[in-house]
Amino acid sequence: MDNKFISELLSWLKALLIAVVIVLVCRHFLFTPSIVKGESMMPNLQDGGDRIILSKISEIERFDEIAFEAPDSEDNYVKRVIGIPGDSIEMKNDHLFINGKEYKEDYLTAYKETLPEGGESLTNDFTLYNLTGEETVPDGKFFVLGDNRRVSKDSRSFGFIDEESIIGDVKMRIWPLDSIGWIN
């Protein structure tokens, strides 16, 4: 009887250890959870409430939401990739131009609709050169903006981010349970 119990216990401990190792390996190399803090990505990501899953193996593309180590603080930031290496960027009359082509920023539509008509623009005019002294985004760098352009601390203030500073690409949002009525 004792032998059977010890054998069963060792079997369970072995299975539990394997599960823990798999979770740790996946979290370190493949994906990681995070919590959004700050208003810079509102209304698409909410401050302190939205939980996100970051893929650590995705190729970063233009308009991806990414998390990265902030170049100007100890925090991690979540922003949207606007410029990838080789891109020239200009914002004119609240319209985004990349390599001379206008891009619609559909993720900003709801926010722009709240602005008074004929009033202030969401994003002030700029060129990449005026902000950074570079004509194009250098190799190994990215230009990022927050969706809440009026309050976002982003590449307009701290410049390019290094590819090595990227933690991951936002692949999934997990809304807090209290927002869907599961917790009061």
Side-chain angles (χ1 to χ4, degrees):
M1 180 90 151
D2 257 352
N3 229 2
K4 188 174 181 181
F5 175 76
I6 291 173
S7 177
E8 186 71 21
L9 181 64
L10 288 176
S11 175
W12 276 99
L13 288 174
K14 185 174 156 183
L16 186 61
L17 180 64
I18 290 171
V20 167
V21 168
I22 289 171
V23 166
L24 291 175
V25 167
C26 286
R27 185 171 177 167
H28 185 74
F29 293 107
L30 302 178
F31 60 86
T32 190
S34 188
I35 298 174
V36 175
K37 295 178 185 168
E39 300 176 342
S40 72
M41 289 299 289
M42 288 178 67
N44 296 314
L45 295 174
Q46 300 299 313
D47 177 28
D50 284 354
R51 273 95 172 129
I52 54 178
I53 302 294
L54 305 170
S55 169
K56 294 183 170 191
I57 58 173
S58 296
E59 185 175 329
I60 304 302
E61 297 177 357
R62 189 179 298 119
F63 304 121
D64 283 350
E65 295 169 321
I66 61 168
F68 58 94
E69 298 164 0
D72 61 348
S73 77
E74 297 294 317
D75 296 325
N76 295 331
Y77 289 162
V78 176
K79 307 288 180 198
R80 190 174 301 276
V81 173
I82 300 298
I84 60 176
D87 282 349
S88 65
I89 302 165
E90 179 180 10
M91 184 66 71
K92 189 172 184 178
N93 299 323
D94 231 1
H95 295 274
L96 175 64
F97 296 88
I98 302 173
N99 301 323
K101 178 183 173 192
E102 184 176 358
Y103 283 82
K104 295 236 182 257
E105 295 181 280
D106 292 333
Y107 46 86
L108 297 179
T109 301
Y111 194 5
K112 285 183 177 182
E113 288 173 356
T114 66
L115 298 174
E117 209 167 303
E120 219 177 301
S121 63
L122 180 60
T123 312
N124 293 331
D125 292 355
F126 68 84
T127 65
L128 189 64
Y129 184 77
N130 293 131
L131 294 177
T132 66
E134 299 279 346
E135 293 286 340
T136 61
V137 178
D139 286 340
K141 308 273 186 186
F142 291 90
F143 186 86
V144 296
L145 294 176
D147 290 352
N148 190 357
R149 303 279 168 81
R150 291 182 169 185
V151 301
S152 180
K153 193 175 190 185
D154 50 37
S155 286
R156 294 173 293 173
S157 59
F158 54 68
F160 301 112
I161 62 159
D162 293 321
E163 186 172 12
E164 295 82 36
S165 72
I166 296 174
I167 299 165
D169 182 10
V170 176
K171 288 297 181 190
M172 185 184 312
R173 291 181 189 98
I174 304 169
W175 287 274
L177 296 178
D178 60 339
S179 72
I180 56 175
W182 287 8
I183 296 176
N184 292 329

